Each structure stands twice: as structure tokens, then as C-alpha cells.
Amino acid sequence: MTDSAIDTQRENQRNLRKLILSIQASFGKLSLLIAICDNPLYRDEIVQIYEKELTEKGVRCYRVKMDRIQPSLRESLETLVEQESELGKLTVVTILGTSDLLDLRLTEKKSPLERFLFSVQWTREALRAFQFPVVVWVTESIAAKLANQAPDFWSWRGGVFEFFKPIDPRTRSHDIVIPELPQAVASEPLADVAELQQQIDELKQLEPNSPLLGSLYHTLGQTYFERVQRGLSNTPETDVKLAISSLQEAAQQYERANRKSSSAFSLAWMGYIQKLIGDWNRAEENLQRALHLYKEVEDRAGMATSWGVLGDIERNRGNWDDAERLYRQCLQVEEELGDRAGMASSWGVLGDIERNRGNWDEAERLYRQSLQLREELGDRAGMASSWGVLGNIERNRGNWDEAERLFRQCLQVEEELGDRAGMASSWGVLGNIERSRGNWDDAERLYRQSLQLREELGDRAGMASSWASLGDIERDRGNWDEAERLFRQSLKLREELGDRAGMATSWGVLGDIERDRGNWDEAERLYRQSLKLREELGDRAGMASSIGSLGEVELERGNLNVAEQYLKDAEQRFQTLGNLSGIAEVNYRLMQLEAKRNNPTLAQTHYETARHLFNQLGAKQDLEKIEREWKNWED
């Protein structure tokens, strides 16, 4: 046994002794004792230990399990009193079942967990009739909700006793929920950050070593982040920083309490947020720390989650090999745990990696493997997602009609499910298809339809994307001023959100606009600004793109030798990444460069390379463009 495991065991024994002493000091009067444990097997073990010891001393020990549909602490105790008329003075009641309460509304106005929290908050006075100690067993997350949503009840607590023991994955039962990283937008009401902060301040004064401080800080961090995600924040950049700092404090509180699994979860949350805002280096650092802790406590589900998000970071950087390695590690654990939904997701991501490599057939095979499993699971939202990525493959192949069919199939399911965020995304992609067809008016209509829904949802990241898409339409039309206005609108929102990867992309496109206008100096400045940020992010694919753009500027200026150096550098980087699209684009520019040098042999070599790759990628428009340009040059 490790030193940390020995320390945890000792802390559990101390808390058990305190709990037993608190029960013995409370006979003949109401005392609400909160016991926290996320491991149901260990919880049952603790209950058996204190009941055995107390029973030997003549104490009557009763267990009451909460009703899973209509949970009420008062009614549960009343039922016990009616059934057991002679409870006696030496009585203790253990309340179980709160961990089984679903926080899911379905067709009801309140979820079972919400009903429980409401009942304990507003029936506190009615509990005075029960003159005996009551041990209420809750999970850590429910304890935090009690403190936040039932403060009157919480203030009556006679003590908080926390017990920790990692769940052995080999004995993990189906009713134990494996923690997952957050979705971008949650549907449940948000907590009040001011109230949470007040509870933290009060708790630090009363119980500076309280085990709940970590939970409250974690909830505070989540709340700040979700406020930004839902468009409810007036200071999004500040709130993102507060989310990260709160989660960092949560991780530190958990670490001091030797709560490795909880500390890992807060670190993973922090890394997830940093990944979303493009702070990939810090995200990677925190996720690696989380992964190390998950390995120590043998939490394989947590390890899989960490590998998956680390894989996403490498995908964003364009490091396909590293991304694939991480996702295959994630997939292996999901297969061992029988997590079929996770397996479907991982196969989809592996398909996305092959799509980025230009391996359309292998990508399609993996996507269809993911789709088949989602169909078996009845996961209609997942099925819609799979149809969407299959549509993207057909879009990359230039098969607009098949791409549209798949996306409309995806859109239909999203409409049936009421997935408005998904609908907004699908309308945006349908707009991309119309733009590829050259139907700019139809594309604009679909982009604006997507933008309107994103504005209604408060999806600020989606709004930034929609404005950029509208800017692309104006670039296609040659309306540089309007294109610039839209891209700067998108850039401003990305700056507010702290989306550094999005900022780098926006600066790059603004550089393209200045290049189209013939403003070479301004274009170069913007490209270098984009390149610098991409270097900080470790975005290798983005760096190669920025270097290629600098080569294009020098090509336009007529500095052919300098342009060649940039373009060759970009080509080598794209080759290292296996980025066929980037290699094709660079060879197209090198064809133009050798044509300006009047060097037909090298020009034809680059033409053949670019033509072959565009054909392999199914990039019909690029293929038509290069063939038309080559023919004109030959003539």
C-alpha cells in the first residue's frame, strides 16, 4: 500500500470515529449528520461497521431508503415512526438512496433530485418532531447541491463526515455513473456565483479544512464557465479566467485532502476549458496531471477521458499520429469497460483523423462503424452526428448532392429531438455546401438562419463562426469592406471568449483580405500576428498554413526566391503532418512561381503533384481551377 493510500485509510478511520461519537452525543434529540461517499460499496461497509458497534451498545439502528420518484426526508421518517412505535431514546436512523436520485426531468417539472432538495429546504421545521440522530448519506456532488440549494437545511447539520475509497473498475456496476467532461451548454438552471462565493467564505471561516470546499470551488468554476457558454456573462473573458482559477483552487483543496480522483476531475475540467479557448499548452499540462492521478487511483474511465481530450488537442495542432495514438488508448479502455457509447464516439474521432489525412475510404469505414453501434444503442443524436460527418466526407469529395442528403437526414433528427444547437450547425454546413456550388445567395440565407438561432441560444462561439461564414460569402463576391467588417466582428467575439485558436484563424483570413486588396505589407503583418499565436499554441498545421501565406505574399510581390523558401518550408511541414490538402495547395503556388520564372519543367512537376492530390482529395473546384490556370499558361 502506498503512503497516500495509508494516509487516506487513516483519515477514513478518524472520520468514522468522529461520526460514531457524534451519533452517541445526539441521542434523544434531532441531529442531522451528513456523510459523504461516492463509492457505494465502501459506503455500505462503513454503515455496517458503525451499526455493529452501536448495536452492541444497545442502540436501535434503522435504515430508510428514499423513494426514487417522490423523495421526501420528512415523509420517509414519518413512515418509519408509524411502523416502529417504540423507537426508544437510543436510536439512530441511516438515510440511503439519495445517490440513486436522477437529476433528469423527463416529462416532470422537477427531477427527483430537485424534489428532494426542495423538500429538505422547506420542511426543516417539521423535522423537529424526530428526536434522534439522522445520518444522511450523499455523494460529493449532492452535498454541494445541498449547501447551495438548501442552505436552511444545511445550516442545521451537526457535522460533515467524508469517506474516500477509489472504485475498482473491475467491480464497477452499471448504476455507477462514470464522470464525463462537460457538454458545451448545460440545460439545468445555473447556481448563483455570489451565493456560492459567500458559502465558500463562510465555510473557510467556520471549517477551513472542510471537505466541501473542493466541491464548492468546483461548482463555482463550472458555473462561471457555463455562464459564458450560455451567453449570460457581461464579462466573458473575466469569467473564463475565474472559472479556471476556481477549478484550480478546487484541485488544490482536493489535493490537500488527499482526494486524488476528485483533484483529477477538477484538473480535467480546467484542461477542457483551456482546450476550448485555445490555450492548448496549459490544457495539456493540466490533463497530463489529471491522467497521472487517474493512473494512481486506477480510474480507467478517467484515464480514457483524459486521453480523449489530449487527442483532441493534438488534432487541433494537426498532429494526426499523436492524436490517433491517444484515441486508440482511449478506445482500448472503453472496450475493456464495455462503454459502447464511448467506443462509437472514439471510432468517429478516428474517422475524423483519417478524413484530415485525406484517407476518405478509411474515414468512411470508421464513421460507418460508429454509426452502426449508435443505431444498435438507439442513440438518435449520435446517429445524426454520424450522418453529419459522413456528409462532410462527401462534401470533401465534391459530391454536393449526397452531402446535402446526409445533412438533411441529420437535420431532421435534430429537429425531432429539439436539438437547436445541432440545427444551427447543420444549417451552417448546408450553407457551406451551397457556397461550394457557387449559390451564394442560398448560402447566405442558410448562414443567417444558423446565426439567428445561435443568437437566440446565446451561443457566442457559434455566432463568431456564423459571422466568419458570412464574411467568406462577401469575399467570394469581392466585397472586401463588408467581408472585413464581418471578420472583425467575429474576431472581437473570439477575443472576448479568449478563443486564441479562433483569433489566429481570424487574423489569417483578414490577411487574405488584405492580400486580395493588394495591400502586401498589411497582409504580411496579419499573417505574422497569426503565426506568432499559432507558435504559442503549438498549432503545427496552422503554422505551416501561415508560413505558406507569407510565401504567397512574397510571390505577389515578385520576390520569387524568398517566396520559394517560405513555400518549401510550408511543404515540408505539411508533409511531416501528412496534410495532403496543404501539400496540394503549396504545390499549386510553386507551379505559379516556376511559371513566373518561365521554368516549364519544374512548373509541370508541381502542377502534376497538385493535380494528383486535388483529384485524390476529391477537391473538384481546386482541380478545375488548377487545370484552367495550367491550360491558360500553356496557351
Side-chain angles (χ1 to χ4, degrees), residues 74-88:
R74 178 179 60 82
E75 291 178 9
S76 297
L77 292 173
E78 285 177 348
T79 301
L80 173 66
V81 171
E82 290 173 4
Q83 294 173 348
E84 303 288 341
S85 56
E86 298 181 1
L87 289 179

Side-chain angles (χ1 to χ4, degrees), residues 91 106 189 253 321 397 576 578 591 616:
T91 294
L106 299 177
Q253 290 285 343
D321 292 346
R397 286 170 168 163
T576 301
M591 178 199 80
Q616 181 180 338

Side-chain angles (χ1 to χ4, degrees), residues 109-243:
K109 290 183 178 179
K110 290 182 181 294
S111 71
L113 179 57
E114 288 171 329
R115 285 195 287 274
F116 168 69
L117 296 170
F118 181 83
S119 72
V120 296
Q121 170 68 357
W122 298 109
T123 59
R124 185 185 75 169
E125 293 297 325
L127 298 178
R128 289 183 184 275
F130 307 111
Q131 298 297 302
F132 43 76
V134 179
V135 183
V136 183
W137 281 91
V138 295
T139 61
E140 186 178 327
S141 63
I142 293 178
K145 284 183 168 66
L146 271 174
N148 180 46
Q149 298 179 36
D152 286 349
F153 174 81
W154 183 258
S155 67
W156 268 29
R157 70 194 186 281
V160 178
F161 311 90
E162 188 169 25
F163 302 91
F164 176 72
K165 186 176 183 180
I167 298 173
D168 187 341
R170 294 168 295 184
T171 61
R172 190 185 295 275
S173 61
H174 292 296
D175 61 338
I176 300 171
V177 178
I178 298 174
E180 293 181 356
L181 289 176
Q183 297 297 316
V185 180
S187 58
E188 65 181 32
L190 289 179
D192 187 301
V193 294
E195 290 181 5
L196 281 170
Q197 188 62 60
Q198 182 179 355
Q199 288 170 27
I200 288 171
D201 294 340
E202 290 175 356
L203 198 56
K204 287 170 75 173
Q205 289 290 326
L206 296 172
E207 301 178 57
N209 297 318
S210 170
L212 273 181
L213 280 172
S215 297
L216 288 170
Y217 271 117
H218 186 99
T219 303
L220 181 63
Q222 283 185 248
T223 304
Y224 272 123
F225 173 66
E226 289 173 4
R227 282 198 341 177
V228 175
Q229 291 295 93
R230 298 192 203 183
L232 302 176
S233 170
N234 295 323
T235 55
E237 189 173 359
T238 299
D239 280 0
V240 167
K241 291 178 180 177
L242 288 170

Side-chain angles (χ1 to χ4, degrees), residues 2 13 37 43 100 106 117 121 150 155 160 252 286 314 335 369 382 468 518 542:
T2 64
Q13 290 171 348
C37 185
R43 174 202 64 202
D100 298 328
L106 299 177
L117 296 170
Q121 170 68 357
S155 67
V160 178
Q252 290 171 352
N286 284 314
E314 295 306 329
E335 289 173 337
Q369 194 170 346

Side-chain angles (χ1 to χ4, degrees), residues 547-571 586 589-590 592-594 596-597:
I547 290 168
S549 295
L550 288 168
E552 291 176 28
V553 168
E554 297 303 330
L555 182 61
E556 297 288 352
R557 284 170 167 162
N559 300 331
L560 302 186
N561 292 338
V562 177
E564 183 178 21
Q565 289 177 355
Y566 279 125
L567 292 170
K568 288 289 187 181
D569 184 3
E571 181 183 28
V586 169
R589 297 300 180 185
L590 286 169
Q592 293 177 322
L593 185 147
E594 295 301 338
K596 285 191 175 184
R597 284 175 169 167

Side-chain angles (χ1 to χ4, degrees), residues 74 85 92 97 145 172 180 204 246 274 311 365 411 465 535 540 543 546 552 621:
R74 178 179 60 82
S85 56
V92 61
K145 284 183 168 66
R172 190 185 295 275
E180 293 181 356
K204 287 170 75 173
S246 298
Q274 289 165 327
R365 185 188 69 78
L411 179 60
S465 177
E535 287 173 338
R540 296 167 67 195
M543 289 159 60
S546 294
E552 291 176 28
Q621 287 185 317

Side-chain angles (χ1 to χ4, degrees), residues 508-527:
V509 178
L510 287 167
D512 291 340
I513 291 172
E514 294 304 329
R515 192 188 69 207
D516 292 337
R517 284 169 165 163
N519 300 334
W520 316 131
D521 292 347
E522 181 60 12
E524 180 183 359
R525 185 187 68 79
L526 287 160
Y527 286 145

